[in-house]
Amino acid sequence: MEKLTYSPKQENKVRQWMEAVTGEEIPKGSFWEALMDGVYLCKMINKVQLGSVKRINTNDNSPSYRQMENIGNFILACEDYGLTQENLFEPIDLHSGQNIPQVINTLQALARKVSFCTHIHVHKHMYILYTPLCTLLCTHA
């Protein structure tokens, strides 16, 4: 697998898409620190596919293993949604902040999958995904 490089532009596009999906702003500052407990990711995948993650550990002082559990549950939900293993990051990639490009890659793959499903099913409640998603997926933007 080729080594991915970090792109602030791609991070920003993913951030905008995630905020459009959840209706919640990602806290400003470090992208990975805002996501490293897995709570936002679990909430997001539950918006994409209701009930994907049954239990989210939301305590601000959750121990590391609970945060890793959230991240693992997000990854499992992405697999259930149809993402392939090659598009998924490992929980430690996010939790340690050592492979954020792979995390961004996973979120872009999820966005593409959501777009594909949205265009096929055209659910009214998913229209909000269309505009930010087109910006995210446009390679020349």
Side-chain angles (χ1 to χ4, degrees):
M1 176 184 280
E2 80 179 65
K3 177 96 168 117
L4 300 171
T5 57
Y6 172 76
S7 165
K9 183 176 179 181
Q10 290 303 316
E11 177 186 306
N12 190 47
K13 287 181 178 185
V14 166
R15 182 186 289 261
Q16 289 173 357
W17 178 77
M18 293 171 69
E19 289 174 347
V21 170
T22 62
E24 294 179 30
E25 199 171 293
I26 297 172
K28 299 293 182 218
S30 171
F31 187 64
W32 80 267
E33 286 178 352
L35 301 180
M36 72 177 275
D37 64 3
V39 172
Y40 195 96
L41 294 173
C42 291
K43 287 180 179 180
M44 182 186 67
I45 196 70
N46 278 344
K47 294 275 187 176
V48 170
Q49 186 166 306
L50 294 176
S52 294
V53 176
K54 306 283 187 247
R55 180 175 178 265
I56 304 171
N57 301 299
T58 57
N59 184 340
D60 287 340
N61 297 320
S62 289
S64 263
Y65 75 92
R66 292 285 186 210
Q67 295 174 354
M68 293 285 279
E69 182 180 311
N70 285 341
I71 296 168
N73 287 338
F74 167 77
I75 292 168
L76 288 174
C78 286
E79 279 184 300
D80 290 346
Y81 195 68
L83 265 62
T84 60
Q85 197 67 30
E86 65 196 24
N87 286 321
L88 297 172
F89 65 89
E90 296 292 326
I92 197 69
D93 292 339
L94 174 60
H95 198 262
S96 70
Q98 292 181 358
N99 196 357
I100 298 307
Q102 184 59 40
V103 174
I104 291 170
N105 183 63
T106 297
L107 295 168
Q108 289 173 320
L110 179 60
R112 286 188 298 272
K113 185 75 171 173
V114 169
S115 174
F116 178 75
C117 293
T118 302
H119 292 296
I120 289 177
H121 301 294
V122 193
H123 294 300
K124 286 183 182 176
H125 68 278
M126 294 181 105
Y127 282 164
I128 191 169
L129 301 178
Y130 181 75
T131 303
L133 190 56
C134 290
T135 303
L136 171 66
L137 299 177
C138 181
T139 57
H140 61 273

